[in-house]
Amino acid sequence: SNGITVIVSENHKIPKVSFNIRMGSDPILEGRLAGLSDLAGSLLLSGTSNRSKDQFDNDIDYIGADLSADKNSIFLSCLTKHVDKGLTLMSDVLLNASFPEDEFIRIKKQNESGLMAAKSDAGAMAQNATSKVNFPKHPYGEVMTEASLNAIQLQDVKDYFKKTFTPKGAYLVIVGDVNLEEATRLANKYFGFWVGPEPYLNQTESAQKNKGDRVIFVNKPGAVQSVVYITFPVNIQPGDKHQLPLTVLNGILGGG
């Protein structure tokens, strides 16, 4: 009733079930705060108003569950007998994430180290350049820098979470040792009372199609090898009849 689309796929071969809740909001153009969404995703499992990070980690370990999160989704996998305990923890993150300041500082320092390492990694430099060239003025083309990382404040993370993590337009995919009746009960019990705003929809342009060939050079003094990408953006939606053939073709040509 709150706008979540629930998808259930039964598989009773092993006593295990997974829950993946993915938001319906579009990627946000972050501009001077490039990297904000990734930072928010890294912080999501850092504690709730009910549990510290250590308590949370211990509760997950005690039932042998796998709980992870990123910038627009939360994933849980656990034994069928621990489903209620696992979903209690999963919904606690969704509804009560606290974003403690000490964890925010720690994760920012981790990202600082990563940015320093990327400066000596020709592959990372090439990937960043490819994203920028193919997706100008688009969320897919934004790359975190030292300046954008320093500009991100804890309140920015909290605001991003409130804007993006909302039940309207979200998908809850349940797979494993569960039937439709039980899945419906669990979805309503743990997520039915979750409320939030309409999903964020952006108005950004799609990938940039080049007019003619372009060659982009990124100079890396002292590099012992060169990294060469031949790349072209294709405007194709998931489920298109050409998606699988193009994926196979891309692999034959050496693409990722």
Side-chain angles (χ1 to χ4, degrees):
S1 62
N2 57 359
I4 304 175
T5 297
V6 182
I7 300 171
V8 182
S9 177
E10 295 186 36
N11 185 340
H12 302 284
K13 292 182 179 179
I14 57 174
K16 196 172 184 179
V17 60
S18 67
F19 301 81
N20 189 14
I21 187 157
R22 183 167 293 275
M23 304 309 123
S25 297
D26 286 341
I28 294 175
L29 195 62
E30 297 170 351
R32 70 179 190 85
L33 301 179
L36 169 62
S37 56
D38 290 325
L39 198 67
S42 299
L43 264 172
L44 201 49
L45 299 183
S46 295
T48 71
S49 55
N50 299 314
R51 297 171 176 84
S52 68
K53 185 179 188 306
D54 286 343
Q55 290 173 321
F56 193 85
D57 291 343
N58 287 337
D59 287 345
I60 288 294
D61 290 343
Y62 185 75
I63 61 173
D66 176 18
L67 185 65
S68 59
D70 60 25
K71 59 187 176 183
N72 68 350
S73 69
I74 304 175
F75 173 81
L76 168 72
S77 178
C78 65
L79 293 175
T80 307
K81 65 181 180 179
H82 295 315
V83 159
D84 281 291
K85 179 62 175 178
L87 287 177
T88 297
L89 297 168
M90 185 181 188
S91 60
D92 193 22
V93 173
L94 193 63
L95 300 170
N96 306 304
S98 59
F99 302 104
E101 187 168 7
D102 58 338
E103 284 295 303
F104 172 69
I105 294 171
R106 181 182 67 83
I107 289 176
K108 280 192 75 172
K109 288 182 178 178
Q110 281 186 347
N111 278 272
E112 287 176 0
S113 299
L115 290 173
M116 289 295 294
K119 289 183 177 180
S120 60
D121 185 338
M125 295 170 70
Q127 289 175 350
N128 288 343
T130 299
S131 298
K132 299 287 283 187
V133 169
N134 281 336
F135 299 97
K137 299 180 181 180
H138 188 282
Y140 293 171
E142 293 190 307
V143 176
M144 180 190 286
T145 64
E146 285 96 339
S148 68
L149 178 61
N150 290 332
I152 297 172
Q153 303 299 315
L154 182 56
Q155 188 59 48
D156 297 320
V157 172
K158 295 178 179 179
D159 291 343
Y160 169 84
F161 177 74
K162 290 179 182 178
K163 188 175 186 178
T164 303
F165 281 73
T166 177
K168 297 180 180 179
Y171 288 86
L172 173 61
V173 181
I174 306 174
V175 180
D177 185 26
V178 64
N179 57 39
L180 181 59
E181 181 181 0
E182 178 68 1
T184 302
R185 182 189 73 82
L186 293 171
N188 284 314
K189 179 179 179 180
Y190 291 100
F191 305 105
F193 56 88
W194 176 31
V195 296
E198 293 292 330
Y200 172 79
L201 302 176
N202 66 36
Q203 301 296 324
T204 55
E205 297 179 359
S206 60
Q208 177 70 46
K209 289 191 176 181
N210 298 330
K211 295 180 180 178
D213 298 335
R214 298 178 67 195
V215 180
I216 309 297
F217 286 104
V218 180
N219 190 29
K220 176 64 180 74
V224 295
Q225 288 184 320
S226 296
V227 178
V228 180
Y229 281 173
I230 300 174
T231 177
F232 186 82
V234 179
N235 188 11
I236 187 170
Q237 299 298 316
D240 187 288
K241 65 178 182 180
H242 298 300
Q243 181 188 5
L244 290 178
L246 280 173
T247 302
V248 175
L249 173 63
N250 208 33
I252 293 171
L253 293 174

